[in-house]
């Protein structure tokens, strides 16, 4: 088996497949939150760290206006090519989610699969929250998905899942390499095992993420004074089943309202 030690983000075709399984549930959740927690109807949606734009594409197909950015040019190229192929005018752009501006504010923004934790410093995280406040109108929402570090339970150490599209199958494995709570750095190994009729290959990578406890996340949200937590959910995206975040909680989607 051929092995590559490269960033998974430089392989958007496989990334899109691996993380695309929950598109329907995530889109339903995003639209459901907009209906439940906003007074005015949502028409424009924004995704920082949009990657391949899988969710933006699903929203655009339903007639909504969308906007998005990502730091990886290969992901943006993949995203924009899909929109071009299907006749949409939208184009995502390359930018740093800790420091950016948009021309038009959106009604709802979302970042559902932990991408926010790639921001490695408190300054970058605060910059992100400030930039997002400039990208979402007052009364709008930001749905921020974060994997917290529990302080009164053992954290999860790994997971595996598979995804298939046509003759392409990707088996994904993710595990903890190290945790440093003082420096707030967590390192995770991740592997794509790719199987096609022409043969198999493997991509090895390591994700370096900033960690957040319940209290650390609460301080960050409070810092800018521009966001209010109106609800919290887990990664099951069940609008009928909100959760209370405590010291054992790991997967959380914060429903933040722009104030």
């Amino acid at each position: 088996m051929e092995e590559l030690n490269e960033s998974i983000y430089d392989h958007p075709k496989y990334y899109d497949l691996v993380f695309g399984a929950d598109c329907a549930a995530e889109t339903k959740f995003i639209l459901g939150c907009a209906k439940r927690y906003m007074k005015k109807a949502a028409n424009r949606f924004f995704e920082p760290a949009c990657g391949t734009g899988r969710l933006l594409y699903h929203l655009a197909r339903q007639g909504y206006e969308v906007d998005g950015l990502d730091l990886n040019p290969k992901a943006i190229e993949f995203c924009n090519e899909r929109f071009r192929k299907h006749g949409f005018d939208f184009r995502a752009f390359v930018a740093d989610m800790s420091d950016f501006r948009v021309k038009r504010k959106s009604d709802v923004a979302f970042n559902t699969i932990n991408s926010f934790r790639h921001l490695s410093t408190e300054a970058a995280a605060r910059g992100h929250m400030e930039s997002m406040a400039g990208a979402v109108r007052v009364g709008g929402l930001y749905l921020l998905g974060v994997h917290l570090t529990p302080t009164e339970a053992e954290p999860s150490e790994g997971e595996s899942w598979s995804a298939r599209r046509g003759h392409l199958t990707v088996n994904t494995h993710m595990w903890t390499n190290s945790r440093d709570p003082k420096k707030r750095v967590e390192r995770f190994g991740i592997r794509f095992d790719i199987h096609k009729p022409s043969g198999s290959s493997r991509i090895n990578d390591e994700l370096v993420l900033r960690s957040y406890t319940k209290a650390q996340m609460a301080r960050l949200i409070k810092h800018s004074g521009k966001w209010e937590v109106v609800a919290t959910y887990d990664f099951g995206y069940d609008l009928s089943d909100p959760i209370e975040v405590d010291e054992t909680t790991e997967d959380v989607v914060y429903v933040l309202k722009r104030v």
Side-chain angles (χ1 to χ4, degrees):
M1 178 183 291
E2 178 189 14
E3 291 202 35
L4 301 172
N5 295 314
E6 297 179 354
S7 170
I8 59 170
Y9 302 113
D10 286 339
H11 296 270
K13 178 180 179 180
Y14 304 137
Y15 178 91
D16 189 72
L17 174 59
V18 164
F19 292 101
D22 288 337
C23 269
E26 288 177 85
T27 303
K28 182 180 178 181
F29 175 76
I30 291 165
L31 295 174
C33 282
K35 186 175 182 179
R36 175 170 294 191
Y37 297 109
M38 292 175 61
K39 294 181 180 180
K40 297 181 180 180
N43 294 306
R44 188 171 182 83
F45 293 79
F46 173 66
E47 184 178 14
C50 67
T52 59
R54 59 196 178 84
L55 293 173
L56 295 177
Y57 174 67
H58 275 69
L59 288 166
R61 287 184 63 189
Q62 296 186 47
Y64 296 102
E65 297 181 42
V66 297
D67 201 0
L69 64 83
D70 199 276
L71 194 60
N72 189 296
K74 292 183 179 180
I76 290 297
E77 182 181 359
F78 184 98
C79 172
N80 288 340
E81 178 56 32
R82 173 155 50 194
F83 275 82
R84 280 192 294 268
K85 179 180 178 181
H86 294 278
F88 292 100
D89 292 333
F90 163 74
R91 299 292 181 268
F93 61 99
V94 176
D96 186 335
M97 66 175 167
S98 70
D99 184 13
F100 68 90
R101 292 183 180 181
V102 293
K103 294 180 180 179
R104 294 180 59 189
K105 293 189 177 185
S106 293
D107 302 305
V108 178
F110 52 90
N111 183 326
T112 55
I113 57 169
N114 232 15
S115 303
F116 160 76
R117 290 179 59 204
H118 281 288
L119 298 174
S120 61
T121 67
E122 193 72 7
R126 289 179 177 180
H128 174 72
M129 300 304 288
E130 289 287 346
S131 293
M132 291 302 300
V136 176
R137 67 170 176 83
V138 172
L141 302 178
Y142 181 25
L143 312 180
L144 180 57
V146 181
H147 187 91
L148 298 177
T149 300
T151 55
E152 294 186 7
E154 290 298 318
S156 302
E157 294 297 341
E159 58 181 318
S160 299
W161 69 99
S162 296
R164 182 174 182 175
R165 184 180 296 154
H167 295 295
L168 171 64
T169 300
V170 180
N171 299 324
T172 304
H173 307 278
M174 189 171 177
W175 63 94
T176 305
N177 281 338
S178 65
R179 302 181 191 272
D180 189 330
K182 290 185 178 180
K183 293 183 178 180
R184 294 179 60 182
V185 175
E186 296 181 342
R187 295 177 178 271
F188 298 92
I190 187 166
R191 184 176 78 231
F192 288 175
D193 287 336
I194 303 147
H195 303 286
K196 299 182 287 187
S198 59
S200 298
S201 59
R202 173 174 291 172
I203 300 171
N204 298 305
D205 193 10
E206 184 178 64
L207 306 181
V208 181
L209 305 178
R210 183 168 175 80
S211 63
Y212 289 88
T213 63
K214 170 193 171 184
Q216 289 165 343
M217 196 66 200
R219 285 196 295 270
L220 175 67
I221 293 169
K222 184 179 179 180
H223 177 265
S224 73
K226 296 176 181 177
W227 297 103
E228 173 192 2
V229 180
V230 295
T232 46
Y233 293 88
D234 61 23
F235 285 7
Y237 305 119
D238 185 351
L239 274 171
S240 68
D241 190 23
I243 65 168
E244 291 290 334
V245 179
D246 60 26
E247 286 70 18
T248 67
T249 304
E250 292 189 274
D251 294 336
V252 185
V253 181
Y254 291 88
V255 180
L256 306 177
K257 178 166 283 190
R258 175 75 167 86
V259 296

